[in-house]
Amino acid sequence: HRDLHSFPTRRSSDLLNAATEGERLDVIDYDFGLSRRAFVKSLGAGLFIAVSLPAIAQESGQRTRNTFLGSGARTLAARIHLGSNGSITVLAGKVEGGQGARTELSQAAAEELGVPIDQVQMILADTSMVPDDGMTAGSGSTPRTVPAVRRGAAMARKLLIDCACAEWKLEPAAVEMRDGRVVHAASHRSFSYADLARSAGVARLFEQAIPSDVKLTPVKEWNVLGTPVARPNGHEIVTGAHQYPSDISRPGMLYGKILRPPAYGAKLVSIDLAPAKAMASAIVVRDSQDDQVVGVAAPNSLRARQALAPISGTAKWEPQSSSPQPSSKDLFDYLKQNAEGGVPRNPFKNQLTGAKTLSRSYHVPYVQHAPLEPRAAVAEWNGDRLTVWTGSQNPFGVRSELARAFHMPEDRVRVVIPDFGAAFGGKHTGECAVEAARLARTAGKPVSLRWTRDEEFTWAYFRPAGVIE
């Protein structure tokens, strides 16, 4: 296993067969929040530590997409933007959670464009702007997205050379690239990316698909890739100017809190919301589609905690079932006994007759991913459009979750992932984003929801437990 794990709540042989990698991950599908009920059912049904995601069917009318790999940039314009002032913007669907993707992808673009790295502005993980490059997981950015960015940048460089040569009526062999410009030494002429941006018909050129066989810079000629460079936004991080998801603030924003059950799988039977409703400036939310969802929003986080406290004391809960969850001592026996289809027999057992054999059992416990920054999201509605800032490895997957939860087209949902405080394989679902959006819709104002460390350890999903024989 690598750094991508989740728990299946539904299976489809057609969808699993659509996966392009041998390992697999099923998405969690829900109308609101992460279904703990579905979560525990999956543990009893089968054991998978998964590292790949098959294509998933979206709501009616929406396309099918392989969420793990993504669809990539369909045109050069989806990958590279050139400004007439010489600015170069590169777009990628990956996220920066401390692993260095922003630096690496900036280097890849600068290398193929033939410009210094500080001339490249990298925009990551804004679903309204960037191509879907798939999840940032499974150590996939380097082998998949770096080559994709290089190809796009190399195509832009080729267009630069071709346009210069067409204008000067020269062959490409007569010119050379120097510091991001095409130079014809004999006539002392040069042609820059700003000149390309101002060229007639450039928009049409950038609507072309990026060819897979575009010529890339050989490793022995690298000047930027493979060299140590400073993180592009390192100054903002060190000085505190960078806004992590938990720092995002919007005009008129409220702060939210969600009522959590006292025990795993407990069902809310009754609750008195009057104490919170009586508090000035507090807004109480009980979801009409799922009466198990109760939350509050207030002008500051202290007031939100104060509003939640009195109603949590009135809540009456009943356990999920009369049978308790298996203890850690009994867990591995439980998993073997409840594996989907039973534990298979060894098909090669007869071939081992007379051979020296060694058998061992390995137990894999539940592991909390423990991200440095607990889950956080800010949700803002503008009419029938929703924007969410959150920390996730899966921006387009979170967009799909939000669209399904609120039964709306994906093109009305925008997910923005600022550089965030790590994930360790534990932030590829959007439960916090959906909760924040639910509170914001009822409150009529932007809402910031920040999970506490206690919530992170109690309610965020764990890496699955497992038994290996």
Side-chain angles (χ1 to χ4, degrees):
H1 66 83
R2 282 169 282 175
D3 63 345
L4 176 61
H5 315 281
S6 190
F7 307 94
T9 61
R10 59 177 181 164
R11 294 187 184 280
S12 163
S13 57
D14 294 337
L15 297 183
L16 292 175
N17 290 336
T20 57
E21 298 204 342
E23 303 155 305
R24 64 193 188 179
L25 165 75
D26 292 334
V27 297
I28 298 168
D29 212 357
Y30 53 85
D31 270 356
F32 175 49
L34 176 61
S35 169
R36 305 294 295 185
R37 228 172 262 108
F39 172 83
V40 74
K41 285 180 183 176
S42 72
L43 294 183
L47 307 174
F48 289 97
I49 298 180
V51 296
S52 184
L53 186 66
I56 60 174
Q58 305 297 321
E59 293 249 14
S60 176
Q62 297 180 7
R63 65 191 176 92
T64 297
R65 180 178 67 246
N66 186 317
T67 311
F68 184 72
L69 298 179
S71 55
R74 301 188 182 278
T75 66
L76 180 57
R79 183 68 73 191
I80 307 283
H81 287 188
L82 301 179
S84 58
N85 62 351
S87 63
I88 300 174
T89 303
V90 181
L91 308 154
K94 294 300 186 184
V95 307
E96 175 59 74
Q99 83 282 19
R102 181 176 295 280
T103 307
E104 180 182 47
L105 295 174
S106 297
Q107 286 181 279
E111 185 65 68
E112 298 300 338
L113 291 166
V115 300
I117 190 172
D118 58 8
Q119 196 173 333
V120 173
Q121 179 187 7
M122 178 66 63
I123 295 180
L124 298 179
D126 181 336
T127 61
S128 68
M129 301 178 67
V130 304
D132 181 1
D133 287 315
M135 297 176 67
T136 304
S139 303
S141 297
T142 301
R144 285 189 289 271
T145 309
V146 166
V149 169
R150 290 184 67 195
R151 286 192 295 269
M155 181 181 177
R157 182 189 69 227
K158 184 178 185 301
L159 290 179
L160 180 71
I161 295 171
D162 291 346
C163 285
C165 290
E167 183 172 312
W168 298 336
K169 296 181 173 54
L170 295 171
E171 293 297 319
V175 301
E176 60 179 325
M177 284 288 298
R178 293 183 194 168
D179 300 322
R181 305 173 74 88
V182 180
V183 176
H184 183 232
S187 63
H188 303 289
R189 287 178 292 185
S190 67
F191 193 85
S192 69
Y193 285 107
D195 296 323
L196 176 60
R198 293 190 290 264
S199 299
V202 68
R204 177 180 53 80
L205 294 175
F206 269 65
E207 286 305 317
Q208 299 178 83
I210 301 172
S212 59
D213 60 350
V214 62
K215 185 178 179 181
L216 302 178
T217 304
V219 174
K220 63 182 179 180
E221 298 177 16
W222 282 359
N223 294 309
V224 185
L225 274 172
T227 66
V229 299
R231 179 170 172 157
N233 60 345
H235 181 270
E236 289 77 11
I237 290 174
V238 171
T239 59
H242 174 69
Q243 287 193 323
Y244 291 90
S246 51
D247 296 322
I248 298 295
S249 180
R250 302 294 297 166
M253 188 178 77
L254 302 177
Y255 294 82
K257 293 292 292 182
I258 296 290
L259 178 69
R260 307 291 180 190
Y264 180 79
K267 180 181 178 181
L268 181 62
V269 177
S270 66
I271 188 170
D272 182 5
L273 302 178
K277 289 181 177 180
M279 297 179 66
S281 71
I283 297 172
V284 183
V285 175
R286 188 169 192 185
D287 192 79
S288 58
Q289 298 179 16
D290 183 354
D291 64 3
Q292 297 296 300
V293 178
V294 176
V296 297
N300 56 63
S301 56
L302 173 61
R303 193 64 171 166
R305 291 195 300 272
Q306 291 172 337
L308 187 65
I311 61 174
S312 62
T314 70
K316 304 296 183 185
W317 304 86
E318 66 178 25
Q320 182 184 36
S321 66
S322 56
S323 58
Q325 296 294 320
S327 67
S328 297
K329 177 173 64 70
D330 301 325
L331 174 64
F332 301 108
D333 288 337
Y334 174 86
L335 292 176
K336 289 174 65 175
Q337 293 163 7
N338 290 273
E340 183 177 357
V343 177
R345 296 178 60 83
N346 183 356
F348 306 106
K349 185 175 182 180
N350 292 338
Q351 299 180 28
L352 298 176
T353 303
K356 181 180 290 187
T357 63
L358 178 65
S359 298
R360 289 289 185 270
S361 294
Y362 298 91
H363 293 168
V364 182
Y366 288 112
V367 177
Q368 174 51 247
H369 297 92
L372 300 178
E373 180 185 21
R375 281 160 175 74
V378 171
E380 182 175 49
W381 289 87
N382 184 8
D384 63 351
R385 294 186 176 273
L386 171 64
T387 301
V388 175
W389 295 260
T390 190
S392 173
Q393 298 166 246
N394 191 11
F396 287 89
V398 172
R399 184 182 70 171
S400 295
E401 289 182 36
L402 288 162
R404 292 194 301 271
F406 295 99
H407 306 287
M408 58 194 295
E410 287 189 2
D411 60 9
R412 294 181 187 171
V413 181
R414 177 187 181 191
V415 174
V416 184
I417 312 291
D419 292 9
F420 62 90
F424 309 124
K427 285 185 178 178
H428 49 269
T429 55
E431 55 270 60
C432 185
V434 178
E435 289 174 345
R438 184 71 72 189
L439 294 174
R441 187 169 69 167
T442 300
K445 294 182 178 182
V447 170
S448 172
L449 181 65
R450 307 169 183 172
W451 281 27
T452 64
R453 183 61 67 184
D454 281 352
E455 286 177 300
E456 185 72 36
F457 269 84
T458 307
W459 296 108
Y461 57 85
F462 299 86
R463 190 187 71 179
V467 181
I468 302 170
E469 296 285 1

